[in-house]
Amino acid sequence: MAKADYDQFAGLARLAEAAATVDQRAAVILTYHAALEREIDVVLTRLLPRADRLRNRFGFGHKIDILAAAWKGTADAGDRLHQVLFRFNELRNAVAHGDRIDLVETKLEQLLAAFRRLIPDAVTEGIGIAEVAAGICGFLADGPTPSEV
C-alpha cells in the first residue's frame, strides 16, 4: 500500500527481534517510578507553602532536586533519599529507552546499593522494585523507622 517496496516479513522479523530484547521487568519499573513520582508530589505539596505554583512543569529529576532542597529532616537523610530516587530514575530511563539488559542490571544494582544506604537495617536480599518503592514511601513517613520499633 505504501508503494515503498516494503518487506512485511522482514518487518515482522525485526519486531520479533525487538520483542526478544524486552526486559520483562520494564512494566514494573515504569509503574513504580510513576507511583513514586505521585508520592513525591504529595510530599512536596506538604513541604512547600505554595506548592500549587509549581504547575506540574517539572520532571522527576527536577522534583527530587526540589525535594532535597525543601527537605526538613536531617541533611544526611535527605541526601540518601535523593540518591536512591536519582538511581530509581536512572533505572527507569534505562528500561524506557531500551538500554541493553546488562546496563539495566547495572542500574538495578546501583539502585539496590543506594537503597541499602537509605535504610541500612532493611533486609535487601532478594527484594524487588515493589519493596524498594515501599521502603522509600516508609522513609518519607514521619513515623518510627523499623530500627526504632
Side-chain angles (χ1 to χ4, degrees), residues 50-70:
R50 299 182 68 207
D52 61 310
R53 303 303 296 157
L54 293 178
R55 299 187 196 151
N56 296 320
R57 291 187 288 195
F58 297 103
F60 192 92
H62 296 108
K63 289 177 183 181
I64 66 173
D65 288 349
I66 295 167
L67 178 61

Side-chain angles (χ1 to χ4, degrees), residues 105-126:
E105 283 299 321
T106 297
K107 298 298 182 189
L108 178 58
E109 290 168 16
Q110 291 171 339
L111 169 62
L112 292 174
F115 184 71
R116 283 189 288 276
R117 287 188 298 275
L118 180 70
I119 308 174
D121 56 337
V123 176
T124 57
E125 190 66 35

Side-chain angles (χ1 to χ4, degrees), residues 119 121 135 137-149:
I119 308 174
D121 56 337
C137 284
F139 190 83
L140 289 168
D142 291 328
T145 65
S147 64
E148 296 170 335
V149 175

Side-chain angles (χ1 to χ4, degrees), residues 27-124:
V28 172
I29 292 166
L30 295 173
T31 298
Y32 279 104
H33 182 274
L36 280 174
E37 186 167 7
R38 284 191 305 272
E39 295 310 307
I40 291 167
D41 289 342
V42 169
V43 173
L44 286 175
T45 299
R46 295 170 189 265
L47 285 174
L48 299 173
R50 299 182 68 207
D52 61 310
R53 303 303 296 157
L54 293 178
R55 299 187 196 151
N56 296 320
R57 291 187 288 195
F58 297 103
F60 192 92
H62 296 108
K63 289 177 183 181
I64 66 173
D65 288 349
I66 295 167
L67 178 61
W71 185 254
K72 292 181 180 178
T74 66
D76 177 61
D79 292 345
R80 288 183 289 129
L81 175 63
H82 185 273
Q83 186 63 25
V84 77
L85 291 170
F86 176 81
R87 293 298 185 192
F88 208 115
N89 198 42
E90 283 190 327
L91 175 61
R92 176 260 177 221
N93 289 342
V95 298
H97 297 288
D99 288 357
R100 293 188 332 257
I101 298 289
D102 62 319
L103 295 176
V104 172
E105 283 299 321
T106 297
K107 298 298 182 189
L108 178 58
E109 290 168 16
Q110 291 171 339
L111 169 62
L112 292 174
F115 184 71
R116 283 189 288 276
R117 287 188 298 275
L118 180 70
I119 308 174
D121 56 337
V123 176
T124 57

